[in-house]
Amino acid sequence: MELLSQFTLLRPNSVAEAIAARAGKSGARFLAGGTDLLPNMRHGLVQPDTLIDLGGIAELRGITHDGQSLRIGAGTTLEQLANDPLLRDTPALVEAALAIAGPTHRAVGTIGGNLCLDTRCQFYNQSDAWREANNFCMKLAGDTCRVAPKSDRCYAAFSGDLAPALMVHRAVAEIAGPSGVRHSPLAEIYADDGIAYLTLAPEEMLVAVRVPLVAGLRSGYQKIRIRGAIDFPLAGVAVALRVENNQLHDLRIAATGAESRPLLINGLDALCGIPLDDALVQLDKLLRKQVAPMETSITPAAYRRRVLPVLARRVISRLIAASAE
Ligand SMILES: Cc1cc2nc3c(=O)[nH]c(=O)nc-3n(C[C@H](O)[C@H](O)[C@H](O)COP(=O)(O)OP(=O)(O)OC[C@H]3O[C@@H](n4cnc5c(N)ncnc54)[C@H](O)[C@@H]3O)c2cc1C
Ligand code: SF4
């Protein structure tokens, strides 16, 4: 790994100070736990001239409950998220948090950093020397996509585990910027582009996510990865649903690791209230139609495409079995 490039470190004490510190600095980046940003800097993938450390901002940390929803601060660590009893009604969040990296990463890695994670590709997450020897690629310093050479876009995959779990719980992002605070469905902070993967303006930051609580809703998350103890998802699926009379209701599914953004699956209403076997057959078709992984990892895209419905069926079966207990 290369040495870190030179940068100025700023340590704001409030969200307002962080936004002011970011204003007018196109080369600046927010730094949370640093578990993604710092390795990327060492690989020469990003070379910020200023890092704005969010670690001293108390208002970004913590989880609160107002009876109808949870509010999770962007600076809350993954470890805190996984261990907070307030999350007992949103188990997909706990399962996703526990599936991220290893324990030491989770002790410092944050919700905000996980949701704003850079996209990944086998031709991008490499050392500078490796990328140079391979003529770089369109995401950085090159002009051709090595995954799809005729394409004019980058297909690097969004590989965060938490986003799909939050999306099936219909989380809303709280975003601060120079003109104040705005709210957006979490799914809408992502764009289908491996380079410009966030719709947040560079000077905006994620402050919190709000998760509405729905009585009777069950949820879960499952992923496949190369190294079982510590790895990004090759594919991950979050499911939320209610079960009545062995039929699915209020079914929501989101996938990660497969496309440049985490994806909420459309058309699931048609699977609700029909015999379960029929619903699962239709689910297979819906997922294969809507999620199209590219060759961005060393695992073949065709395998990742086939495994997505399998993961969804496994989570659904688990949630149905739990609801019968
Ligand atoms: C070996 C290894 C394995 C990993 N495995 C996984 C895995 O299985 N699943 C997974 O999801 N991740 C994985 N990661 C990535 C990373 O550890 C986690 O995603 C972690 O949650 C990132 O959070 P962070 O606070 O460290 O982010 P940082 O590295 O500090 O930041 C990541 C990005 O988010 C931006 N950012 C941070 N906070 C904010 C904010 N509040 N508003 C706007 N932008 C912000 C930063 O500018 C940066 O671009 C792995 C990393 C390593 C090194
Ligand atoms: S998808 Fe293409 S442009 Fe994007 S990182 Fe991979 S090789 Fe580069």
Side-chain angles (χ1 to χ4, degrees):
M1 266 201 191
E2 295 82 357
L3 292 174
L4 286 177
S5 53
Q6 292 288 314
F7 56 85
T8 302
L9 183 65
L10 302 177
R11 291 203 161 114
N13 289 311
S14 66
V15 170
E17 280 181 26
I19 297 297
R22 182 74 176 82
K25 296 189 187 74
S26 58
R29 284 289 187 115
F30 294 119
L31 171 72
T35 60
D36 190 57
L37 185 58
L38 295 179
N40 287 353
M41 285 170 66
R42 282 191 181 273
H43 277 148
L45 299 174
V46 276
Q47 294 188 326
D49 55 29
T50 308
L51 286 182
I52 301 165
D53 179 5
L54 306 179
I57 306 181
E59 65 192 288
L60 285 179
R61 293 192 292 271
I63 304 174
T64 52
H65 183 286
D66 66 5
Q68 291 175 326
S69 63
L70 297 173
R71 183 180 181 278
I72 306 170
T76 308
T77 66
L78 301 166
E79 184 183 81
Q80 288 163 345
L81 187 74
N83 290 316
D84 197 314
L86 285 177
L87 271 81
R88 62 183 167 270
D89 295 325
T90 54
L93 301 189
V94 176
E95 290 171 16
L98 285 173
I100 294 170
T104 49
H105 298 94
R106 295 197 291 273
V108 292
T110 64
I111 316 305
N114 190 260
L115 295 175
C116 298
L117 206 58
D118 195 1
T119 53
R120 298 182 64 79
C121 173
Q122 59 171 326
F123 298 104
Y124 174 70
N125 295 98
Q126 302 287 354
S127 68
D128 203 33
W130 188 99
R131 285 179 290 110
E132 186 179 9
N134 287 279
N135 279 337
F136 296 103
C137 77
M138 194 198 294
K139 184 158 158 83
L140 184 67
D143 50 16
T144 307
C145 171
R146 298 175 58 81
V147 166
K150 291 188 181 153
S151 170
D152 59 0
R153 61 157 284 194
C154 162
Y155 290 92
F158 179 81
S159 305
D161 286 294
L162 261 187
L166 283 162
M167 280 158 56
V168 296
H169 278 285
R170 303 210 169 124
V172 171
E174 192 177 312
I175 299 156
S179 42
V181 173
R182 68 181 179 94
H183 295 85
S184 158
L186 183 66
E188 292 178 16
I189 77 163
Y190 298 105
D192 191 18
D193 184 318
I195 297 173
Y197 48 91
L198 290 179
T199 60
L200 300 187
E203 63 275 13
E204 285 186 318
M205 64 182 278
L206 195 63
V207 173
V209 283
R210 207 171 268 280
V211 185
L213 297 173
V214 178
L217 195 70
R218 292 169 181 274
S219 69
Y221 177 75
Q222 199 163 341
K223 72 194 259 191
I224 51 155
R225 49 185 158 179
I226 292 177
R227 298 168 295 181
I230 179 174
D231 228 331
F232 289 91
L234 293 168
V237 173
V239 176
L241 52 76
R242 286 183 300 109
V243 182
E244 285 170 26
N245 302 323
N246 206 33
Q247 290 178 339
L248 305 174
H249 291 270
D250 204 1
L251 178 64
R252 309 153 187 193
I253 298 179
T256 189
E259 304 228 1
S260 294
R261 62 177 161 181
L263 204 66
L264 265 176
I265 303 303
N266 292 319
L268 294 173
D269 283 353
L271 278 59
C272 295
I274 65 172
L276 187 58
D277 287 348
D278 296 344
L280 293 180
V281 171
Q282 286 191 35
L283 174 64
D284 243 68
K285 289 185 190 151
L286 274 183
L287 278 164
R288 282 170 189 249
K289 200 166 163 190
Q290 291 179 40
V291 193
M294 300 288 282
E295 216 72 30
T296 51
S297 99
I298 56 169
T299 306
Y303 169 75
R304 289 155 65 213
R305 188 172 202 178
R306 273 204 296 272
V307 87
L308 280 156
V310 177
L311 291 175
R313 279 201 305 271
R314 281 185 191 161
V315 182
I316 289 172
S317 304
R318 178 157 61 84
L319 298 178
I320 291 175
S323 70
E325 284 169 4

